Every structure is written in structure tokens, then in C-alpha cells.
Amino acid sequence: MARTCLAIVLAAGEGTRMRSARPKVLHAIAGRSLLAHVLRAVADSGVTATAVVVGPNDTAVAAEARRMSPDAECFLQQERRGTAHAVLAARRAIERHPDDILIVYGDTPLIRPASLLQLRSAIADGAAVAVLGFRATDPAGYGRLILEGNELIAIREAADANASERAAALCNGGIMAMAGKTALAILERIGDRNRKHEFYLTDAIEIARGMKLRAAAVEVEEDDMRGINTKKQLAEAETAAQQRLRQAALEAGVTLVAPETVHLCADTKFGRDVVIEPYVVFGEKVTVEDGAVIHSFSHIAGAHVGKGVSVGPFARLRPGTRLGEGARIGNFVEVKEAVVEAGAKANHLSYIGDALVGANANVGAGTITCNYDGIAKHRTEIGKDTFIGSNSALVAPVRIGDGAYIGSGSVITQNVPADALALGRSRQTNKEGWATRLRGLKMLGKKKPHSRD
Ligand code: UD1
Ligand code: CA
């Protein structure tokens, strides 16, 4: 039978070094919060339960945890008394005796499921505690793994380490796994007799060994272990995350004309033969199907782009957008909460919000769905095979029947029957010779004639 696993995500840190009113783990890279990245990695490593430890007044952190993992249980760490103290905030979950316990920091967003699975297999192989180690380019501030052969003897915090311990090659990434059956006994023995009077999770190694239990170290690449404490580290992690995502997209066969200019989100999904031109930004929840082309300077979030669709240049697709096969959304067109069916086109300068655009409709330049009356949002339905003349305002709620034709410059406030022509504008009048008279008066230094004249 598969082993059960509890993941405990520590997210009660204050993050003072971010110099921000926002809790540290809610800062984002690759379009989603640090916490969301960690919860995703945890979910992908086969956990059966997730606990998130939050600090007092961290309702936003708890809300984000529930958004990403609706089954996650949040535990409150009332006082910030160290990493082991934080883990014990989730005592009730530990007491359910999972086979494995993964302890992951909420500020380590680039951790990969594969690394977490390596830790779990060390526990399955009989270790009571296993930790992830890495070779740091700059080891300042990290605890050091003290090894004897393959055995992990201790983790020494940099501040408490002597020179030879500090020179130890592997740094502590902070991510740890424990065997469920001995975890509580080990955690309860951790004390706070150190310089900061904190309960250090890292003491678990020596305690386990004192109990004749085994501890193991697993080496992973540095990127996995990037801990975020400052805005600079946040930016560096963003760069690393984007590199990984672009690499994966290229490997999956997406054409990125200038990869370094395309900004992806951790959950962006591409079909086959998709082309992304330079300078395109993807937010959360975007799917792009086979053969679609995203032209330069487009911004896309929460949108489904169907087969063979063409988007941009300079298009903005907002959440709730669904573009059917072969649809075309051209320059300076914004689409929000709208379905654009197969073959429909809005090629220039439009706003399509809270709308349905039927198959093969042609939405002319400058068409606006007036979806908001200052109080509430209303829907616009544009039928199949319709022709919306340029610069029309469709005042919602309104329905344009299939095959109807809207004259340019119309303000449409009433439903239009199928196959009808609607002209929603004042009639044009021509005044013969009026301009000639104007120019004559100007030369004499007189006033402009009234248009009634
Ligand atoms: C910790 C490790 C160190 C390791 C480093 C890797 C310990 C004692 N030290 O140090 O060996 O090299 O991470 O990044 O574990 N947290 C709480 N409640 C607390 C204290 C911390 O939830 O009371 C959370 C923080 O939000 C953070 C994580 O635990 O996500 C780590 O805490 P932090 O203070 O950043 O530990 P480091 O000093 O970086
Ligand atoms: Ca840290």
C-alpha cells in the first residue's frame, strides 16, 4: 500500500526583510504566490494531508492556502519561537501518525516534487530524519550539514558553528522529512538552549542519533533551495523560475521566438505548434491550444485560446475569456469574461466584456460592449454571422440576433432581431456650400456661421 504523508508548510514568518506590508509568502513569482508554489510541489509529491502553519492575523495567508489546497488544515503559531515550535503547532495532524512527514518552508518556492520524493524515499529506507542539502554559491546565513561518510551527524547553525564546520560543503536547505512514528518523540525533545532561545528544527538530527535512530542527507541543486528573504532574492528566484518554465515550454515544442522576453506563469499550458512572439506576458490559468499564434506585446490571464487562434499584437485577454477555433483578436482589443466562438473576429480597438460573440461574427473596429452602468455588470449577446459596424456601442443588457447587421457608429440600446439591420444613430444632414461660406467669413474676420444657417 502507498505510504501516507503529511506535509507541514511553515508560513508564520514575519518577513521583515521584504520591507512590505504583505506577508512574505504572499509575494509572487511566475504569476503565483510563494506559498502557492510550495503547496503545488507538495501536492505533486503524493502527500495525503497538508497542514499550513500561519502566524497571528495572517488571514490572507490562510485564505491563499485554502484557495490552492482546499483540504489543507491551517494551524496557528501564536508566538514565533523557532522552526521546531512552528512544526509543533500542527501537533494534531502529527498525532494522526502518517508514515512520512514532510516539513517545507513557505519561502522556498522552487522546490521540485522530485526532490521531496527523494526525501520520502530516504524515510522509506529507514531513516528517522532526512534533510535536503545543497552547495551554496554564497553559504552565508545557512546552517551546515555535518557528515560522517554518508551519515548525517548534525546540522550546525552558521552562528553556532566553528571554522571547520562552517567550511563543510553542504548547506541546509531547511526542508526535512521525518518518519511519522518517531517524529513527535524527537520534536518534543528539542529545547531552546541556544543563542536566540529558539526551538531549532535542526536539532532533530542530534536528538534522533541520541535515540539510536538514523539521519540522512540528500543533495539537490541550489535552485531548489532558494529561500526568499529579500526583494532581491525574490527577483533572482523569478529569473530562475522563468528559465525553468521557458526551458520546459521549448522542450514541449512551443516556438518562443525570443524566450528571454516571454513571461510565463507556473500553470501556463500549451498545445502543439504554438508560436509565441517576443514580449508576451502570461498570468495565471492560461491554456493555448494547437497552432495558436500569440503576437508581440500581448497580456493574457485566465484565458483559453483555442486551436489556430490569432491574438495580438497588443491584445489583452482577461479572466473568463474563451476563444473558439480560428477566432481572431487583433491589436488593442480587450476581452474579459467573454466567449468568442469559432471563426469570430474582433481585429481592432475593441472592448468585449461580459459577452458572447457568436461563430463567425465580425466585430468592427472600435466596437464597445457597454457592460457597466455604474452599479452592475450586464451581458451582451452577439449572434452568429452578425456584422457589427465600426465604432458601435452595444449598451448591455442587449441581444443581437443571428445574422443581424449593425450600422457603423450605432448606439444599440434595444435587442435586434435576427437578420435585421439596426441603425442606432442620428440621421446625417448635408448643407451644400456651408464650408465655402465659412472660409469666406473667416477671411473677412467675421464669426462662424451657425450650422442651422
Ligand atoms: C533555517 C534553518 C537553517 C537553514 C535555512 C535555509 C533552522 C533553525 N535553521 O534558517 O539551517 O540553512 O533555514 O533557508 O531551522 N518559521 C515559522 N515560525 C517560526 C520560525 C520560522 O513559521 O517560529 C518559518 C518561516 O516563516 C520560514 C521558515 O520557518 O518560512 C524558516 O525560518 P527562518 O527564520 O527564515 O530560518 P532561517 O534563519 O533562514
Ligand atoms: Ca529563511
Side-chain angles (χ1 to χ4, degrees):
M1 221 179 72
R3 296 171 67 86
T4 57
C5 179
L6 165 70
I8 303 176
V9 178
L10 303 190
E14 290 163 326
T16 39
R17 281 175 288 171
M18 294 297 269
R19 302 199 183 288
S20 165
R22 189 188 296 195
K24 174 159 84 171
V25 296
L26 296 186
H27 285 81
I29 61 167
R32 47 160 77 153
S33 70
L34 303 183
L35 181 61
H37 283 277
V38 171
L39 288 170
R40 187 75 250 159
V42 155
D44 290 345
S45 56
V47 304
T48 45
T50 303
V52 181
V53 177
V54 302
N57 312 319
D58 269 353
T59 47
V61 175
E64 173 72 346
R66 269 192 295 276
R67 185 180 79 94
M68 285 306 295
S69 311
D71 298 332
E73 220 178 327
C74 288
F75 293 92
L76 176 67
Q77 186 193 19
Q78 196 59 255
E79 259 182 296
R80 213 172 170 280
R81 300 193 58 200
T83 40
H85 183 259
V87 172
L88 280 172
R91 175 190 282 272
R92 263 192 298 119
I94 300 170
E95 281 169 350
R96 289 179 206 132
H97 295 296
D99 295 321
D100 306 337
I101 297 175
L102 275 175
I103 298 163
V104 188
Y105 293 170
D107 65 354
T108 313
L110 296 181
I111 184 67
R112 283 172 307 166
S115 305
L116 297 176
L117 284 167
Q118 272 182 283
L119 270 188
R120 288 189 63 192
S121 53
I123 301 297
D125 290 346
V129 189
V131 302
L132 290 183
F134 68 104
R135 281 164 217 280
T137 330
D138 175 13
Y142 288 111
R144 304 297 201 277
L145 303 188
I146 315 291
L147 293 162
E148 233 174 61
N150 284 333
E151 286 259 317
L152 177 61
I153 305 298
I155 303 176
R156 201 77 77 227
E157 285 310 292
D160 303 321
N162 64 37
S164 84
E165 287 172 339
R166 220 171 294 158
L170 284 187
C171 287
N172 175 28
I175 291 177
M176 187 180 281
M178 298 181 98
K181 57 178 186 285
T182 45
L184 211 50
I186 295 171
L187 290 166
E188 280 174 339
R189 278 170 219 212
I190 294 178
D192 64 351
R193 258 182 291 157
N194 52 52
R195 224 168 298 179
K196 284 163 110 185
H197 297 289
E198 281 192 5
F199 295 87
Y200 286 165
L201 187 57
T202 43
D203 287 351
I205 311 302
E206 280 167 293
I207 290 170
R209 287 179 57 81
M211 294 163 70
K212 302 277 181 280
L213 297 168
R214 194 160 63 78
V218 174
E219 186 180 340
V220 291
E221 59 181 76
E222 182 171 16
D223 267 347
D224 268 52
M225 299 278 70
R226 275 177 195 279
I228 310 233
N229 300 314
T230 62
K231 289 280 170 69
K232 180 166 175 280
Q233 288 168 331
L234 185 72
E236 288 164 355
E238 179 77 68
T239 304
Q242 291 299 332
Q243 261 158 9
R244 273 189 188 178
L245 292 168
R246 291 168 192 146
Q247 199 57 41
L250 291 166
E251 276 163 22
V254 178
T255 300
L256 301 178
V257 177
E260 65 288 354
T261 66
V262 174
H263 201 94
L264 297 164
C265 184
D267 64 355
T268 312
K269 289 192 183 61
F270 296 110
R272 291 166 62 92
D273 298 311
V274 168
V275 177
I276 314 290
E277 288 188 352
Y279 299 101
V280 172
V281 176
F282 291 92
E284 262 190 314
K285 298 197 176 106
V286 175
T287 347
V288 182
E289 284 200 58
D290 299 355
V293 180
I294 313 290
H295 297 280
S296 292
F297 304 106
S298 293
H299 192 288
I300 304 180
H304 176 84
V305 177
K307 283 195 183 133
V309 164
S310 170
V311 174
F314 299 98
R316 180 170 187 209
L317 305 183
R318 292 170 52 201
T321 296
R322 293 190 69 80
L323 306 180
E325 186 166 346
R328 300 179 70 84
I329 297 297
N331 36 224
F332 307 106
V333 174
E334 174 179 346
V335 186
K336 185 218 76 168
E337 204 65 60
V339 174
V340 177
E341 291 181 346
K345 300 197 257 305
N347 277 331
H348 334 267
L349 300 155
S350 274
Y351 174 59
I352 301 172
D354 302 307
L356 168 70
V357 179
N360 301 312
N362 189 328
V363 177
T367 298
I368 305 292
T369 54
C370 309
N371 61 328
Y372 186 50
D373 59 12
I375 297 165
K377 300 278 169 67
H378 304 282
R379 278 181 60 77
T380 301
E381 281 179 25
I382 299 173
K384 298 182 201 321
D385 304 309
T386 49
F387 183 96
I388 313 297
S390 293
N391 207 33
S392 291
L394 310 177
V395 183
V398 73
R399 190 171 329 120
I400 317 291
D402 292 352
Y405 197 107
I406 308 295
S408 297
S410 288
V411 177
I412 300 295
T413 54
Q414 296 162 41
N415 291 346
V416 178
D419 300 313
L421 164 68
L423 296 173
R425 61 192 185 213
S426 55
R427 271 185 66 192
Q428 176 175 334
T429 51
N430 292 340
K431 306 277 178 190
E432 298 275 347
W434 186 92
T436 315
R437 268 182 291 134
L438 168 69
R439 285 188 288 270
L441 288 169
K442 242 191 191 163
M443 276 180 30
L444 298 170
K446 297 246 171 80
K447 279 208 327 214
K448 187 174 165 227
H450 198 278
S451 61
R452 268 199 316 268
D453 299 345

